[in-house]
Amino acid sequence: MNDTLGLVIGFILTLLIYSYVIGDNPAYRLAVHILVGVSAAYAAVLVLRQAILPIVAQLALNPLSLNSLLWLVPILLALLLILQRLPRFAWLGDNATALLVGVGAAIALMGAITGTLLPQILVFGDAGNTSLSPIQGIVTAVLTVCTLLTFQFTGKKNELGEWVRPFWQRGFVQIGQAVLMITFGALFAGLLSTSLVLLTERIGYYFAQFMLMLQ
Amino acid sequence: MIRKTICQECNTPNTPGGKFCSNCGARLPKSTSIMCPRCQTPNPSSNFYCDSCGSRLIQEEAPPPEQPAPESDLPTSAKMFSLPSRKPGDTGELNAENVMDWLMSGQGDATDANAKPKTDTGKLPRLSDLTPDQRGKTDDLPAWLVDSDSQEFLIEAPEDITTEHFLNMIKQIDEEERKKLTGMLSDPALTGKGGKLPDWLQEFVQSAEETGEKPAPKATPPSKPQPGKRGTSSQPSADAEDLDWLSELGPLNTDMLAHPVEQPQSRRPQSEADNDLPDWLGGLEPPNTEMLARRPSFAADEPSIDAILSGEGPTEGIPDWLAATGAPDTDRLSHPVTAARFDEEETEEDYPEWLVRPPDTSELALPAAPKQVESAIAADSLAKKSVTDWLAGFEDDDEEETAEVAEVAEEDDEFDNIFAETAVTPIEETKARKTLTDWLGELSARDAAEPPDDETAEEPDWLSPSEPEIPAEDETSLRFGMTGPLPDWLDELEPANAKPASNEQTIMAGMLDDLLGPALPEETFPAEEIAEEIDEAMVAASFSELPPDAQPLNVNEEPDWLSELAAFDPNAVVVDESAPTAMETTAVTDSLFADSLVDSTWRDDTRRDDTRRDDTLQDMPDEVETAVYPFDSAGDEEWANLDEILSDVNTEKEELVDWLDEFADMPDAALALDLSLAADDEATPEKPLISTGELPEWIASLRPEDTSQLDSLLPSALPTAEDNLYAIAADELGDADLPEWLSDTAVSTPEKPVTTLVGAELPIWIDTESDLGEPSSELASILADLPTAPPPEDLLQKAEIPQWIQDLKPAELTGKPTAAPDFKLETTGPLAGMPGVVKVEPIVAMPRAIIPADQFTITKEQQQQARLLRQLVQEEHQATAQTHAVGTAVSKNGLRLLLAALLFAAVVFALLGPDILAGEPPSSLSAAGEGVNTAVTAAAGQPVLVAFEYTPAMAGELDVAARLLLSQLQDNGSQIITVSQSAGGTAVAETLTQSQANPPIHIGMLVGEAIGLRQLGNCLGSQPTTCATLQGRSLNADTQAALQDLGLIIVLTGERDSLVNWLEQIDPNTDIPIIAGVTQSLGPVAAPYYASGQLHGLLNGLPDAIALANRYGSSADLTQAEAQLSAQSLIQLAAALLLIIGALVLAANRNKSSTTQGQ
Amino acid sequence: MLKRGIPLIIAISFGGLTLISLLFSITEISSLILEWASFLAAVALLLGAINLLSVHTHRLAAHRPVGGQNIYSAALVISMLVVFGLGMTDLIGLTNNSVGVVFNWIQAPLEAALASLLAFFLLLSGIRLLQRQRTIASILFLATAVLILLSNAFIASPILPQSISSLFQQLRDLIQSIIVTSGIRGILIGVALGAITLSIRLLLGLERPYNK
């Protein structure tokens, strides 16, 4: 019974979402607002349950331990973060945000260097799962450089006052733009495929469920 | 001889003393009457300081008055043109009477009252109300400006622009000038303490002192002491006490002043005209007999100026502001007897300011006399005593005035004491005091008080010009008249370069008559007659008692004119009954005097290096020459007799009336004026005293420098005869020698050159063409040197009519075709049916949603206006835009619906229909897929961390892979640990692993994305420390152990970040292989990571998963997945076809629409 | 000075500490700091949800239907309160995984529908691409997408002859493995360089997103 109710609710909501095909309409908006409400509440509940309450419980267990004392710092910062809702004390909340930004920057720096930059640059020979021939490898490297040069926007001003790239860079940029267009075409195709899959799955799912209900 | 500075460039006569020509702006040759003692630069007589070196011209000068009258700073001419302004704050009611006539356009003829168009009181008549003939006759606007429908409209520009408006303007100008003049007369700066009278006034004052004329009775307003009237019976002796020289001025002939040109000749008989002038002027006949003869005569019925001024005459046509000032009761001025009534009947308020405030004479500083002159003056100071106490005569209750009078009285006493020792009988002394102007008396007194050797003391030039420090080498210019070195102005008088009596001088003479009013009538009152005779006798006596040390002038050095003058005794001439009538004798004496003066001064002049060329001689029209002028060539015998007369009187220098000294001071123009006046009076008795010719220098000099602007302001139209009282016959205007500043407005017909020489007959020495025989050699030589003057026509600049006026010319005049009016009728909207409606701007036409701004309160009217505007705009806009909107809406929705239907049909068909493209399920696995299998197989028996990084949105594709992998892991006996960076993933994980046999370990949600993963990374693999807690959650031992023993990490995600976070935060720090199951959209993004080996395997969406499952078999129920996968082929084919067809169809559509827009 | 100085000091010091601990694998320090950071992240997420609730509650209290906005706000507030309530009841144990049920019945279908709706709009945009912008790049883009879609469709399908389908396969592989990978790699490296630059600026205090 529950499943049927769920199914019917799901179906109705899906139809509300699909009404957007005709154009923006209140039904679609209602559905979206419900989705936002539910997902926000769900996340809050989950964070509360999985991240905050355990810490509170842990501190409650042993409030005087060194670890617990140390946790006073984040708790104080967290309280300041809550004060940010009062305009007069909003500046106090900036300290917590500063901590998050500092730590996040450090982690991103490390990850980008060790996780993407170095591994993507230092793939030589048989390293990695490349099954390209050397020529293919060189072509890939050249195309990658062309793509990177396409993102190089510095240039010089010509007589007419327009900003133009140096002459030697113009050829590479043209190639890079073509590569990018092909890449984006491929991505578009992949996304379209995925969404077609999802559409097919939805329709197939409801189709199947109704067939089941009918049966 | 009236002298005028002729411009060498354009031959235009300019006022003497001017530096630049008023017409073409070229520099004028130097012509002046005062020679600078230091640098010999000739300066105009009105200068106090030399133009070039700045040294003082007039030696003896009292300190300038403390409060020079504010108006005096501006030259009179500049004020002439300022409109009569009200005092600030005095707004007063604007009613029809106050509005000046020239403002009341369309009034038509002033006299034609009933012809006035219907106008609301106080409002100007609209042009449309005027009847065609009124428009035609509307004088206020020039014909070509009037938008008249009448056909007889003048096509070509009107030659003779006559407008009442300009007449009124001129009248207004003259009114102001008259006010200005009368203001100057009562201006303390000029007449009061230390104030230096303008030259012409000083001379007259001084001459009044010399001739011993009886001042007007004291009670009357100050009248000028009568200068020795040559040949005319003496001015009736005024009351013994005051010589009211102002009253001598007689009724201020405002009309003459306002309309010197229009002064109709016949308006007043000559004698009456004489009476108007003060005695000192009375004798002076206006030289320009010719011009005066031609002056328009007043119509008989026109009221006399006195009547008008005294308020009895009709006030029509008089500007209201003048009428408002009330009759200035000029009678008081002209008729000393009536003046007495002035004080009793009229209160101070009734009389205009200039009359009421007595001029303050105490400050009047008479020019200091040099040593020799002092003694002479001392001798005849008694004569000066008779100087009118007119300045002191003003009794005014004002204490300040009385204080001044007291001061003057004291000075008088000193004056008296000084002269007590002179052998003058008490009676004569008292008379002398009466006859001298107090102010002169003071001066003499002051002079006497100062130490004689104080060379530097300022001596009044007019008395005896100081000895200029003339460089030795310039001996020739050192001339000594009877009273010491003669002032340079005397040189001017010499006929240097045959300076003709110019127009200006005649006009000036005429203006003087206007200003100072007609000379007191001959017929003076009996009492005064006796007083006058006594005065004359006294004067004669005083002359005879000239102190011995008064060195007679060295005859040799004395210029002939002086010696001749010395011989001439005007009084003798005047008194002699048998002599021709006053006027004639005056004329004769004047002319004699003038001639001799001219003769002698001319010789002196020629010695100077005056570069002025008198080219106007040739241009002198014949009639000027033939003007009746006593010195005309025909009268040679007369001239001869004159010589004898003059030679007889040569010895009687003493009898030279001091008043001649005045002439020493009088600027050459004024002198010439006097002479010409005398001549004119003589020749043409019926002419009005002040010719319309030359303005006195002091007026001319006030004329604005830049007359060009005046030209544009004052169109050259002058009022026509029938306009009003002062109309001037149009044709006569052409010949009238208007003063320079007026001449621009005169209608001068090109073919008649403006006569530069006044009608007076030229003396022999000037008249080169006269048949008197060869001109003197010196004149001929000078004339020969001068460059020939180009004909005047070439020099005359064409008057520039301002562009804005030309633009106003109606099409009939300009001949341009008038643009056909745009009478397209409006078809739509509330303005339907109206012609020439301007289209609404596209910007406004755009329908725009009006967002109500809360803070502004919109009133009902504004809302209605907004609604109306919107209605206007939308109606017009809708009319054009409707068709277009419908088209696009239909096309847009149609496409979407069509596409949705096609897609839906494709999916349904693919799902339910036969599998057209059905091929074997993909069994070939890509290498990446193989990697996944390898990794999973390798991690068999190890805990595997499965990261559910996708939400239910991607569940449709990833669930298959997830289930597949989970089943494989299950099959491999691996412990599944689930983790997620997002809340949704956690839920998905819980949902997918519910049916797992081996319940997975749910770490749950890692908050903070990369930070959480980084924390997790610390707990993974063979780390030295175990992490008991993870993000506050305590991990049990199994979990910790599993985490440390982790064999594989599977990342299932459809988002790039999630994948990248795992690859950047976990991979580098652990050796644990990571495989990913991603969606087809993320496949390309993951490929590089797979290529770089960071990912050991990669499932690229559903196909790979199905392939994997097909390759390695799976226990998961993938039927539905397979069905979906097979449908994918068809659907993707359909999508591809839709893309191709849709793109091509829309592209073709676009071409079609762009071509239709192009057309 | 206080207002701006303290956050700057906190950001630079904690960032530096974290960086050093990660470089030199000093896990005690890094884990402690990471714990605090993740806790603050959790609190921040919670505050975000509460903020969303208060905004829509105000709209409801304002009684001004801005284009019917109240109905949607009411729906949002009610759904949040219901889910939050269920979460609390789950927490208390009154209910069992009711939140999951809500998730499955409401959130999942909504999200899936939204994701599937993406297909329709992707097709629509692809069709209008040539109508709006007819350049070489867009033609290249559309051709690649169509080629990949056709290759996906025909590779497994026996309709086309093997040669054509293998031709399709090779073409797709060529495009995918060389061109797309190069392109993606270029993009990834570019993104990484950007991340590195921004992190360095944040750690040096040149960028201060925390100072309002």
Side-chain angles (χ1 to χ4, degrees):
Chain A
M1 170 57 188
N2 288 346
D3 289 347
T4 314
L5 183 60
L7 186 66
V8 168
I9 292 171
F11 184 72
I12 293 167
L13 292 175
T14 304
L15 288 182
L16 292 181
I17 294 291
Y18 282 162
S19 67
Y20 190 70
V21 166
I22 304 167
D24 193 1
N25 57 74
Y28 170 80
R29 288 193 187 187
L30 190 64
V32 167
H33 275 76
I34 292 171
L35 173 63
V36 167
V38 167
S39 54
Y42 184 79
V45 165
L46 208 66
V47 160
L48 196 63
R49 202 168 66 192
Q50 292 188 3
I52 294 175
L53 291 182
I55 294 173
V56 171
Q58 184 189 332
L59 293 178
L61 277 178
N62 195 353
L64 300 179
S65 70
L66 178 64
N67 199 14
S68 304
L69 292 177
L70 282 177
W71 268 93
L72 283 179
V73 172
I75 289 170
L76 180 65
L77 288 174
L79 289 177
L80 294 182
L81 206 57
I82 293 170
L83 282 181
Q84 211 170 27
R85 289 193 55 72
L86 308 177
R88 271 185 58 194
F89 304 106
W91 64 276
L92 289 171
D94 292 350
N95 301 314
T97 317
L99 189 137
L100 281 174
V101 165
V103 172
I107 288 175
L109 180 63
M110 286 300 292
I113 293 172
T114 55
T116 304
L117 197 63
L118 295 181
Q120 293 297 322
I121 292 171
L122 305 175
V123 173
F124 287 102
D126 294 339
N129 306 317
T130 53
S131 56
L132 301 175
S133 66
I135 297 171
Q136 286 179 334
I138 293 170
V139 168
T140 307
V142 166
L143 293 181
T144 305
V145 169
C146 294
T147 309
L148 275 174
L149 284 178
T150 312
F151 293 118
Q152 178 76 17
F153 295 106
T154 53
K156 284 184 297 185
K157 242 185 183 174
N158 65 0
E159 310 80 44
L160 303 176
E162 297 156 357
W163 285 95
V164 291
R165 292 186 169 92
F167 184 72
W168 62 269
Q169 194 179 345
R170 287 183 200 154
F172 289 114
V173 165
Q174 301 283 345
I175 298 169
Q177 279 177 354
V179 167
L180 279 175
M181 281 304 124
I182 294 170
T183 309
F184 291 147
L187 285 175
F188 176 76
L191 192 60
L192 185 60
S193 308
T194 302
S195 54
L196 286 175
V197 163
L198 297 176
L199 182 66
T200 314
E201 185 269 341
R202 273 294 103 184
I203 294 172
Y205 171 73
Y206 282 113
F207 208 76
Q209 296 295 327
F210 283 128
M211 296 303 273
L212 283 178
M213 287 170 69
L214 292 179
Q215 287 163 9
Chain B
M1 200 52 51
I2 300 292
R3 188 161 287 92
K4 193 170 191 165
T5 316
I6 307 305
C7 169
Q8 290 176 355
E9 301 297 324
C10 62
N11 200 14
T12 311
N14 285 287
T15 52
K19 285 186 183 163
F20 296 99
C21 165
S22 60
N23 187 31
C24 64
R27 176 171 286 274
L28 288 180
K30 289 191 175 53
S31 76
T32 174
S33 57
I34 299 180
M35 191 64 79
C36 170
R38 182 176 295 168
C39 63
Q40 298 311 311
T41 313
N43 283 284
S45 59
S46 59
N47 276 14
F48 297 144
Y49 294 94
C50 170
D51 283 343
S52 61
C53 65
S55 66
R56 188 148 191 88
L57 293 181
I58 298 171
Q59 291 312 315
E60 183 107 334
E61 190 51 72
E66 286 91 16
Q67 301 118 0
E71 280 147 353
S72 63
D73 311 337
L74 286 180
T76 310
S77 49
K79 279 193 251 8
M80 266 190 241
F81 295 100
S82 64
L83 293 174
S85 59
R86 286 198 190 100
K87 288 194 200 62
D90 172 14
T91 49
E93 210 37 51
L94 176 72
N95 56 42
E97 285 71 33
N98 290 348
V99 178
M100 245 68 74
D101 293 348
W102 64 272
L103 271 180
M104 311 266 286
S105 65
Q107 290 298 310
D109 210 342
T111 50
D112 186 0
N114 46 28
K116 271 190 188 156
K118 294 192 306 325
T119 58
D120 310 344
T121 51
K123 284 208 180 62
L124 296 179
R126 282 196 306 258
L127 274 182
S128 52
D129 298 346
L130 301 181
T131 56
D133 54 356
Q134 276 164 354
R135 281 189 192 167
K137 269 195 288 173
T138 308
D139 289 340
D140 288 336
L141 289 184
W144 57 268
L145 263 184
V146 173
D147 174 17
S148 155
D149 307 336
S150 61
Q151 290 317 319
E152 71 281 6
F153 196 75
L154 289 178
I155 298 300
E156 67 284 347
E159 282 170 17
D160 184 5
I161 302 175
T162 57
T163 166
E164 184 183 356
H165 148 79
F166 296 109
L167 167 66
N168 291 332
M169 277 185 71
I170 294 167
K171 187 190 302 174
Q172 189 178 321
I173 292 158
D174 298 338
E175 294 303 351
E176 282 179 51
E177 186 181 6
R178 183 181 57 72
K179 257 172 101 171
K180 167 81 183 78
L181 282 176
T182 49
M184 283 179 65
L185 291 181
S186 62
D187 182 356
L190 293 178
T191 55
K193 295 187 191 67
K196 177 176 178 325
L197 271 184
D199 294 345
W200 64 275
L201 265 184
Q202 285 189 12
E203 294 150 63
F204 303 134
V205 166
Q206 187 252 349
S207 64
E209 169 241 332
E210 280 151 12
T211 55
E213 288 297 322
K214 294 291 168 298
K218 184 162 186 176
T220 58
S223 71
K224 189 143 193 45
Q226 294 311 310
K229 278 189 62 96
R230 287 170 306 237
T232 53
S233 64
S234 68
Q235 185 68 26
S237 62
D239 180 282
E241 276 304 312
D242 289 346
L243 179 69
D244 191 339
W245 70 272
L246 265 186
S247 64
E248 300 300 332
L249 297 179
L252 189 66
N253 189 341
T254 52
D255 293 317
M256 297 289 286
L257 190 68
H259 310 286
V261 174
E262 297 115 26
Q263 181 64 45
Q265 201 180 17
S266 61
R267 197 164 159 284
R268 278 194 329 274
Q270 183 57 41
S271 59
E272 194 186 344
D274 273 357
N275 296 344
D276 292 345
L277 272 187
D279 290 356
W280 61 270
L281 273 182
L284 308 177
E285 286 306 316
N288 181 2
T289 48
E290 173 63 28
M291 210 292 294
L292 289 178
R294 282 196 310 284
R295 288 179 53 187
S297 60
F298 281 102
D301 59 354
E302 284 168 8
S304 76
I305 292 177
D306 301 342
I308 290 175
L309 291 178
S310 59
E312 286 115 8
T315 53
E316 253 172 43
I318 295 181
D320 300 328
W321 64 270
L322 178 64
T325 58
D329 193 355
T330 50
D331 300 348
R332 180 166 181 280
L333 291 175
S334 58
H335 306 291
V337 175
T338 54
R341 280 184 293 109
F342 174 70
D343 296 335
E344 295 114 26
E345 291 162 21
E346 317 248 342
T347 57
E348 197 168 312
E349 291 76 28
D350 300 344
Y351 278 81
E353 167 96 31
W354 65 271
L355 271 182
V356 172
R357 275 180 55 74
D360 185 343
T361 58
S362 57
E363 291 289 313
L364 192 68
L366 290 178
K371 206 163 6 176
Q372 299 91 330
V373 174
E374 264 178 35
S375 50
I377 291 175
D380 63 304
S381 62
L382 286 182
K384 287 184 188 132
K385 284 297 288 177
S386 69
V387 166
T388 319
D389 289 344
W390 63 275
L391 292 177
F394 267 58
E395 272 106 30
D396 184 15
D397 310 342
D398 186 351
E399 289 80 19
E400 187 192 327
E401 294 302 322
T402 44
E404 282 163 19
V405 167
E407 250 173 62
V408 166
E410 281 155 22
E411 283 169 3
D412 279 356
D413 298 344
E414 283 164 28
F415 190 83
D416 296 343
N417 302 344
I418 291 167
F419 291 95
E421 66 277 12
T422 54
V424 173
T425 57
I427 300 171
E428 284 155 356
E429 179 192 341
T430 51
K431 288 196 183 71
R433 182 181 298 116
K434 286 188 206 63
T435 54
L436 269 185
T437 312
D438 285 0
W439 64 269
L440 277 179
E442 286 152 37
L443 285 172
S444 323
R446 184 172 298 129
D447 306 338
E450 283 164 20
D453 54 3
D454 182 2
E455 287 301 325
T456 57
E458 286 174 12
E459 291 166 2
D461 282 353
W462 63 275
L463 279 182
S464 57
S466 66
E467 290 158 27
E469 295 130 20
I470 299 170
E473 69 280 1
D474 195 1
E475 282 305 323
T476 52
S477 65
L478 193 63
R479 289 175 308 95
F480 286 89
M482 185 191 70
T483 54
L486 282 181
D488 302 335
W489 63 270
L490 281 184
D491 294 350
E492 298 306 321
L493 294 178
E494 290 165 26
N497 294 350
K499 284 193 285 297
S502 67
N503 257 358
E504 264 183 308
Q505 283 149 349
T506 325
I507 295 172
M508 196 154 62
M511 288 305 291
L512 275 181
D513 280 350
D514 287 352
L515 292 178
L516 303 176
L520 284 183
E522 290 287 331
E523 309 81 30
T524 54
F525 300 91
E528 283 166 1
E529 225 167 68
I530 300 163
E532 191 174 338
E533 277 152 18
I534 295 168
D535 283 346
E536 282 149 20
M538 186 276 294
V539 163
S542 64
F543 269 106
S544 61
E545 288 148 14
L546 202 67
D549 58 358
Q551 299 295 339
L553 292 177
N554 178 345
V555 178
N556 301 339
E557 291 164 18
E558 183 185 327
D560 297 349
W561 69 271
L562 261 188
S563 53
E564 286 153 13
L565 278 178
F568 177 71
D569 175 8
N571 288 340
V573 170
V574 168
V575 173
D576 180 1
E577 297 308 330
S578 63
T581 64
M583 295 306 296
E584 284 149 19
T585 45
T586 318
V588 168
T589 46
D590 281 353
S591 52
L592 288 175
F593 175 81
D595 189 39
S596 56
L597 265 181
V598 165
D599 200 9
S600 56
T601 47
W602 172 71
R603 268 203 292 285
D604 285 342
D605 267 342
T606 52
R607 282 202 295 282
R608 291 172 48 196
D609 54 354
D610 189 339
T611 54
R612 189 172 54 254
R613 190 186 66 76
D614 192 350
D615 49 12
T616 52
L617 286 177
Q618 288 85 358
D619 307 335
M620 197 170 54
D622 299 342
E623 66 273 22
V624 172
E625 284 179 29
T626 55
V628 176
Y629 190 73
F631 302 104
D632 191 1
S633 53
D636 289 353
E637 302 75 24
E638 212 172 88
W639 174 254
N641 307 345
L642 181 65
D643 280 338
E644 285 144 21
I645 293 168
L646 284 180
S647 58
D648 297 344
V649 296
N650 207 355
T651 53
E652 294 159 21
K653 292 182 200 65
E654 294 80 9
E655 284 174 21
L656 178 69
V657 181
D658 281 356
W659 64 268
L660 287 180
D661 289 346
E662 292 162 56
F663 286 105
D665 293 336
M666 187 186 295
D668 55 332
L671 176 65
L673 168 78
D674 274 4
L675 300 179
S676 65
L677 279 173
D680 277 347
D681 280 353
E682 162 110 24
T684 50
E686 74 282 357
K687 281 201 191 78
L689 281 174
I690 294 189
S691 84
T692 56
E694 196 42 58
L695 278 181
E697 169 138 13
W698 63 270
I699 292 179
S701 64
L702 296 179
R703 184 172 155 281
E705 289 303 320
D706 170 18
T707 54
S708 59
Q709 203 237 353
L710 287 180
D711 298 343
S712 63
L713 283 177
L714 291 177
S716 61
L718 279 180
T720 50
E722 70 277 359
D723 269 332
N724 60 12
L725 181 67
Y726 311 108
I728 306 161
D731 53 356
E732 287 183 3
L733 276 182
D735 308 336
D737 297 318
L738 289 179
E740 180 60 33
W741 56 274
L742 262 185
S743 62
D744 309 330
T745 62
V747 178
S748 57
T749 45
E751 62 283 353
K752 266 192 199 166
V754 175
T755 50
T756 52
L757 265 184
V758 181
E761 281 177 15
L762 291 183
I764 300 160
W765 56 266
I766 291 180
D767 187 357
T768 53
E769 293 157 12
S770 69
D771 49 14
L772 281 178
E774 283 311 313
S776 62
S777 59
E778 285 149 0
L779 174 61
S781 64
I782 292 171
L783 285 182
D785 298 346
L786 294 179
T788 56
E793 295 77 9
D794 307 349
L795 298 175
L796 287 182
Q797 259 182 338
K798 191 170 182 323
E800 284 166 13
I801 299 178
Q803 187 55 32
W804 63 273
I805 292 182
Q806 289 182 359
D807 294 348
L808 291 177
K809 280 190 179 175
E812 294 83 357
L813 270 184
T814 54
K816 285 191 201 121
T818 52
D822 173 13
F823 286 107
K824 191 153 73 59
L825 291 179
E826 188 61 18
T827 51
T828 60
L831 305 178
M834 289 187 57
V837 170
V838 174
K839 279 272 169 283
V840 174
E841 278 302 312
I843 293 175
V844 174
M846 289 286 291
R848 188 167 299 119
I850 300 174
I851 301 161
D854 296 347
Q855 65 269 34
F856 299 114
T857 55
I858 303 175
T859 59
K860 284 215 165 18
E861 296 79 18
Q862 286 169 346
Q863 284 173 358
Q864 282 161 8
Q865 286 162 6
R867 221 169 286 124
L868 180 62
L869 179 62
R870 186 188 303 143
Q871 190 190 347
L872 269 177
V873 164
Q874 285 172 353
E875 264 177 22
E876 179 164 336
H877 180 71
Q878 277 158 6
T880 54
Q882 250 155 3
T883 53
H884 180 67
V886 168
T888 50
V890 166
S891 65
K892 200 169 182 185
N893 283 344
L895 181 65
R896 287 168 75 137
L897 289 176
L898 180 66
L899 189 64
L902 284 177
L903 194 62
F904 190 78
V907 168
V908 167
F909 181 78
L911 284 175
L912 305 179
D915 189 0
I916 306 169
L917 299 178
E920 300 94 13
S923 57
S924 64
L925 196 56
S926 64
E930 293 295 341
V932 167
N933 189 48
T934 320
V936 168
T937 322
Q942 284 178 297
V944 172
L945 183 65
V946 181
F948 291 83
E949 303 294 2
Y950 65 92
T951 61
M954 295 297 166
E957 186 166 19
L958 287 175
D959 280 357
V960 169
R963 282 203 199 94
L964 180 64
L965 288 172
L966 286 175
S967 61
Q968 282 187 349
L969 290 174
Q970 190 87 33
D971 301 346
N972 294 343
S974 299
Q975 176 56 50
I976 299 173
I977 309 172
T978 66
V979 71
S980 174
Q981 293 180 63
S982 63
T986 313
V988 165
E990 285 169 9
T991 315
L992 286 180
T993 54
Q994 279 173 357
S995 56
Q996 290 280 332
N998 185 2
I1001 304 172
H1002 293 288
I1003 296 181
M1005 177 180 171
L1006 293 181
V1007 180
E1009 298 183 357
I1011 297 174
L1013 287 185
R1014 181 56 80 157
Q1015 271 181 296
L1016 180 66
N1018 287 343
C1019 313
L1020 297 183
S1022 55
Q1023 300 291 342
T1025 58
T1026 60
C1027 42
T1029 61
L1030 183 59
Q1031 291 199 343
R1033 279 164 284 182
S1034 57
L1035 298 179
N1036 58 27
D1038 297 348
T1039 311
Q1040 286 179 34
L1043 286 177
Q1044 287 202 341
D1045 190 20
L1046 208 60
L1048 181 61
I1049 301 175
I1050 301 174
V1051 180
L1052 298 169
T1053 180
E1055 294 168 7
R1056 187 196 84 82
D1057 292 348
S1058 310
L1059 181 65
V1060 166
N1061 285 340
W1062 279 93
L1063 293 173
E1064 288 182 349
Q1065 305 302 333
I1066 303 298
D1067 183 62
N1069 305 323
T1070 61
D1071 309 336
I1072 307 169
I1074 301 177
I1075 65 173
V1078 293
T1079 57
Q1080 291 184 62
S1081 60
L1082 201 61
V1085 175
Y1089 288 104
Y1090 174 74
S1092 62
Q1094 288 170 280
L1095 283 177
H1096 291 76
L1098 181 64
L1099 283 179
N1100 195 354
L1102 191 62
D1104 280 5
I1106 300 295
L1108 181 67
N1110 293 337
R1111 175 96 166 69
Y1112 294 107
S1114 162
S1115 59
D1117 175 12
L1118 300 178
T1119 51
Q1120 199 183 352
E1122 284 167 356
Q1124 283 177 12
L1125 189 61
S1126 60
Q1128 284 303 315
S1129 305
L1130 190 59
I1131 295 168
Q1132 287 193 0
L1133 183 61
L1137 293 179
L1138 277 176
L1139 272 179
I1140 295 168
I1141 297 165
L1144 295 180
V1145 164
L1146 289 187
N1149 235 356
R1150 175 174 166 178
N1151 286 348
K1152 205 186 305 173
S1153 59
S1154 59
T1155 48
T1156 49
Q1157 276 174 5
Q1159 284 151 8
Chain C
M1 170 59 192
L2 208 61
K3 286 187 179 180
R4 293 176 175 282
I6 294 177
L8 185 63
I9 296 164
I10 292 174
I12 292 172
S13 55
F14 278 93
L17 270 175
T18 313
L19 197 62
I20 294 164
S21 62
L22 292 178
L23 276 175
F24 302 106
S25 303
I26 313 170
T27 53
E28 292 77 14
I29 299 175
S30 63
S31 61
L32 184 66
I33 294 171
L34 290 178
E35 286 270 343
W36 292 358
S38 57
F39 174 73
L40 288 178
V43 170
L45 194 140
L46 196 63
L47 288 179
I50 293 168
N51 187 43
L52 182 68
L53 184 64
S54 68
V55 164
H56 283 271
T57 313
H58 281 303
R59 282 194 187 166
L60 267 180
H63 297 298
R64 258 172 304 161
V66 181
Q69 191 65 28
N70 307 45
I71 304 168
Y72 308 122
S73 301
L76 189 138
V77 168
I78 294 167
S79 51
M80 280 189 81
L81 293 178
V82 164
V83 170
F84 206 76
L86 292 175
M88 290 305 117
T89 53
D90 287 353
L91 209 61
I92 305 167
L94 290 179
T95 55
N96 181 20
N97 197 19
S98 59
V99 173
V101 166
V102 167
F103 181 84
N104 289 326
W105 284 7
I106 296 173
Q107 187 165 340
L110 283 174
E111 283 195 9
L114 269 175
S116 58
L117 198 60
L118 193 61
F120 169 78
F121 285 104
L122 284 175
L123 264 180
L124 193 61
S125 58
I127 289 170
R128 286 192 176 149
L129 181 63
L130 286 187
Q131 187 185 15
R132 300 239 170 104
Q133 211 180 44
R134 198 180 297 165
T135 59
I136 296 172
S138 54
I139 291 169
L140 203 59
F141 171 87
L142 209 59
T144 311
V146 166
L147 187 66
I148 290 174
L149 286 173
L150 288 177
S151 60
N152 287 346
F154 290 121
I155 287 171
S157 160
I159 291 177
L160 290 179
Q162 188 57 31
S163 58
I164 297 174
S165 59
S166 64
L167 183 64
F168 267 110
Q169 180 77 30
Q170 286 173 3
L171 198 59
R172 191 184 77 169
D173 287 349
L174 181 68
I175 291 171
Q176 291 273 3
S177 60
I178 295 177
I179 300 176
V180 173
T181 308
S182 308
I184 295 292
R185 180 174 279 123
I187 293 170
L188 290 178
I189 292 172
V191 166
L193 290 176
I196 293 166
T197 318
L198 183 59
S199 305
I200 292 170
R201 288 172 65 84
L202 286 169
L203 292 175
L204 295 180
L206 300 179
E207 294 267 347
R208 299 177 195 165
Y210 36 81
N211 273 349
K212 295 229 174 16

